[in-house]
Structure formats: C-alpha cells, structure tokens
Amino acid sequence: MNDTYIDNDTEYSSYGVGLSFYEDKTVGEGSTTVKILLTGFLGIFMVFSLIGNICTCAVIARDKNMRTPTNCYLLNLAITDLMIALFVPIEIYLIWEPDFYPLDEEGCRLHFLLWDLLSNCSVLTILAFTIERYLVISKPFLRQTLVLNSRVFKIVSVNWAVACLFAIPNAFYVYLVERKQNVYCFFTVPDTEKTYLVCMELLVFYVLPMTVIFVLYVLIAMKLRSTKSTSRQNPVHGKQKRNKAVKLLVAVAASFFICWSPYSALRLMIVLPGLSYDHYFNLWRVVIYLSSINIYMSTAVNPILYSLMSHKFRNAFRDLLKRGPSRSQATASHTRRSEC
C-alpha cells in the first residue's frame, strides 16, 4: 500500500496489483461477507470472460468474413482480456490468504510483468483502432491502405513491443518477502522514483490515450453528422454499417475508461502525500475493491457489447454455439452451388 515497508533498513513505498494490494495483516481480519462477495463477483466475471473471449477468438478465426481490420483489433483485445481473466484464481486465493503468496519469486515477478504488459497492450489496442476508425471516416482516400490486415498486424506488433518496453523495467521493482510464516509479493519503488514512474504510467497509458480517444470520437461524430446533412440522397446502407461500427468501438472505449478509472485513481493516490494509508484506510479500501472488481469486469463486458451492438457478431456467436457453419460461410457455399 501507500504506507512504508522497511526491509534491510531501507524505506520504500509499496503497492501491488489488483487484490495483491493486500499485504498488511489487517486484511486477514476483514469481513467474511466482503470476502464472499468479492469471490462471487470475481468468479462470475472470470466465467463470463473465458466464455465470451474464447467465443470471440473462435468466431473471428473460423470465418474469413469476420477478419476485418476492426475485428483484428478486437481479436487482440479479446486475447489480452482472456489472459487477464486467468489472474482471477490467484486474486481469489489472496482474498482468503493475504499473508501467503502461493508462487515463488519468479512467479511473483512474472505476475506483475504480465499484468503490466496486458493492461498496457489493452489501452494501446483501443487507442489504435480509434485512430484507425477516425482515419477511415475522415480520410476516405486512404481506405484502400487502411483496410489491409497486414497493416493491422504490424500495428498490433508495435503495441505489444511498446507495452513490453514499459512493463519490463517495472519487473525489477518486484519482490517476494518472507516474514516468519508470511510470504508477500509486492511492487516497491523508492520514494525518489515513485512519482516519476507512477505519473509516467498514468500519462502514457491513461491520461493521454483517453484524451486522444475522446477528441477523436468527437471529431468522428461531427464528421458523421456533416456527412448525413450533405448526402441525404445517397444510399444509407454503407453509412449505417459504418455508424454501427463506430458505436461499437465507442462502447468498448467507454467501458475501458469506466472500468479502469478506479485503478488509475489508485495509482494517483500513491503519489499524493496527503492520502496516507493509515489516515484514510476506508477510502483506500473502497478504491482497492472498486479497482479489483472493475478491472476483471472489463474483461467480461466486451464480448457482451459485441453481441448487443453488432448483428454480425451476434449471428456468429449463435452459429458457433450451435456448432454449425457461420451464416456468411453458408451463404458463400450456397452461392457457389447456385453458380455451378
């Protein structure tokens, strides 16, 4: 947490990831009701996330017509969400056994490394497809270049590389500490570096992306409105399809903003000198609960948004669960037979 942890006569400020923030002994004395509720929520989110994101990956992989540039970004987002959901069992364990981290030192370091990598990659993916959608709408003459899947794969690769670039240095601040019968895994940063690291992550992976996303969606809305007013006589099918795609991406970006805001607030609280853990215990605990629940909720909500807002995704999910060929594949097959 934001209070000090003393080891070998050196003072550090420490904080964890998700429910791994629970490194103080007072957590073990927490309400059983709260623990049961947290366990229930996290378990439900994990199940929905696993089912939804596996189905998302499956429908895009099995149907070539679903492999659009936008869906390639959504596929990458589904992969990161799926991997984040796999942390839930560890978090549930730490709810009930906060004083004994179950993995060794390498597992502790890998826990934090993967967490940073996946969360960073998620926000960069959302930022990338927002920029992509803005360019498609505002620069129609670039459409042929922008719709290439190979270009999307290169951008996704760059996103993973940048996410790694920021995540790997943080792994050197992760420690596994044994105190008598207790074992703690936590991220500790010297006070001289704490403000720089936390503020840099907040700026690069939250403030700046969310600002760019908000501005671009405002510009997209203005562009669509002006297009609607100047071309009423044109066919509307393509425009309606484009509007639905924009609405889907807006919903995904909005859910990410809402779900990750508590965690970003938690990181900001770490560098605020007036918000010590000892004096604002209840505030810290509420923000920790919200950040933990919201982060895992975000991994489950995206597939639900795809199903609610995209008729094509909804049909693909339905066909997958029925274990039959997708409708687009069946239509293509029927067309080929008719031509024969």
Side-chain angles (χ1 to χ4, degrees):
M1 299 300 302
N2 196 37
D3 52 344
T4 56
Y5 192 95
I6 301 175
D7 187 29
N8 295 330
D9 298 326
T10 304
E11 185 174 307
Y12 296 94
S13 294
S14 61
Y15 64 101
V17 171
L19 293 176
S20 301
F21 278 93
Y22 300 140
E23 71 217 20
D24 54 82
K25 294 183 179 181
T26 60
V27 177
E29 303 169 0
S31 169
T32 302
T33 302
V34 172
K35 293 181 179 181
I36 293 174
L37 289 175
L38 285 173
T39 301
F41 279 123
L42 294 182
I44 292 172
F45 294 149
M46 182 182 69
V47 171
F48 275 93
S49 179
L50 292 177
I51 295 175
N53 288 300
I54 289 175
C55 287
T56 300
C57 295
V59 298
I60 296 176
R62 74 196 288 261
D63 187 352
K64 292 183 179 180
N65 293 321
M66 292 291 291
R67 299 173 194 171
T68 64
T70 296
N71 288 350
C72 288
Y73 286 118
L74 297 181
L75 173 63
N76 186 63
L77 189 61
I79 292 172
T80 57
D81 285 345
L82 184 61
M83 295 178 68
I84 289 175
L86 297 178
F87 284 93
V88 170
I90 297 179
E91 305 291 10
I92 291 177
Y93 174 87
L94 291 173
I95 293 174
W96 297 94
E97 295 291 339
D99 295 325
F100 190 85
Y101 187 77
L103 305 179
D104 57 12
E105 184 173 0
E106 288 74 18
C108 168
R109 199 175 299 275
L110 186 63
H111 181 175
F112 278 80
L113 176 62
L114 288 177
W115 179 272
D116 278 346
L117 172 61
L118 295 172
S119 61
N120 293 347
C121 191
S122 293
V123 69
L124 292 178
T125 300
I126 294 175
L127 177 63
F129 68 54
T130 302
I131 296 174
E132 197 93 344
R133 183 51 48 182
Y134 169 75
L135 292 175
V136 168
I137 293 175
S138 63
K139 311 291 183 182
F141 54 87
L142 296 177
R143 186 180 299 273
Q144 294 300 322
T145 302
L146 296 174
V147 297
L148 296 176
N149 285 347
S150 58
R151 180 177 177 277
V152 176
F153 295 148
K154 291 178 182 178
I155 294 175
V156 168
S157 299
V158 171
N159 285 349
W160 280 95
V162 173
C164 283
L165 184 65
F166 279 85
I168 290 177
N170 287 342
F172 294 99
Y173 294 100
V174 177
Y175 298 93
L176 187 76
V177 175
E178 298 184 23
R179 289 295 181 90
K180 297 181 179 179
Q181 302 299 320
N182 301 330
V183 180
Y184 303 110
C185 172
F186 58 96
F187 179 84
T188 59
V189 183
D191 287 336
T192 55
E193 303 174 25
K194 177 181 63 176
T195 301
Y196 171 77
L197 288 176
V198 174
C199 290
M200 179 61 69
E201 287 190 356
L202 275 174
L203 178 65
V204 175
F205 295 106
Y206 188 77
V207 176
L208 183 60
M210 289 300 106
T211 302
V212 173
I213 289 170
F214 175 78
V215 171
L216 290 183
Y217 278 130
V218 170
L219 295 176
I220 288 173
M222 294 173 59
K223 179 67 176 179
L224 292 177
R225 179 174 298 181
S226 64
T227 302
K228 181 178 180 180
S229 62
T230 58
S231 58
R232 295 181 183 275
Q233 73 279 9
N234 291 337
V236 298
H237 177 71
K239 185 166 59 179
Q240 289 176 347
K241 183 178 180 181
R242 182 177 60 184
N243 289 353
K244 287 181 179 180
V246 172
K247 290 179 180 178
L248 172 61
L249 299 183
V250 169
V252 172
S255 68
F256 186 91
F257 172 78
I258 294 171
C259 291
W260 285 83
S261 290
Y263 182 62
S264 299
L266 186 61
R267 288 194 289 188
L268 181 61
M269 289 169 63
I270 293 167
V271 299
L272 295 178
L275 290 178
S276 65
Y277 181 61
D278 292 333
H279 295 92
Y280 294 91
F281 177 84
N282 291 331
L283 174 62
W284 277 91
R285 191 49 45 91
V286 168
V287 177
I288 289 171
Y289 287 158
L290 287 176
S291 63
S292 302
I293 292 175
N294 283 19
I295 285 172
Y296 291 107
M297 180 175 64
S298 71
T299 68
V301 74
N302 286 336
I304 297 175
L305 292 176
Y306 307 156
S307 179
L308 291 176
M309 305 193 67
S310 173
H311 182 71
K312 194 172 182 179
F313 257 110
R314 187 161 56 251
N315 289 336
F317 285 144
R318 187 182 299 115
D319 294 334
L320 176 67
L321 295 177
K322 291 180 179 179
R323 296 187 177 182
S326 65
R327 297 192 180 188
S328 58
Q329 289 175 325
T331 302
S333 176
H334 177 72
T335 302
R336 287 194 296 269
R337 287 198 301 268
S338 299
E339 291 175 349
C340 293

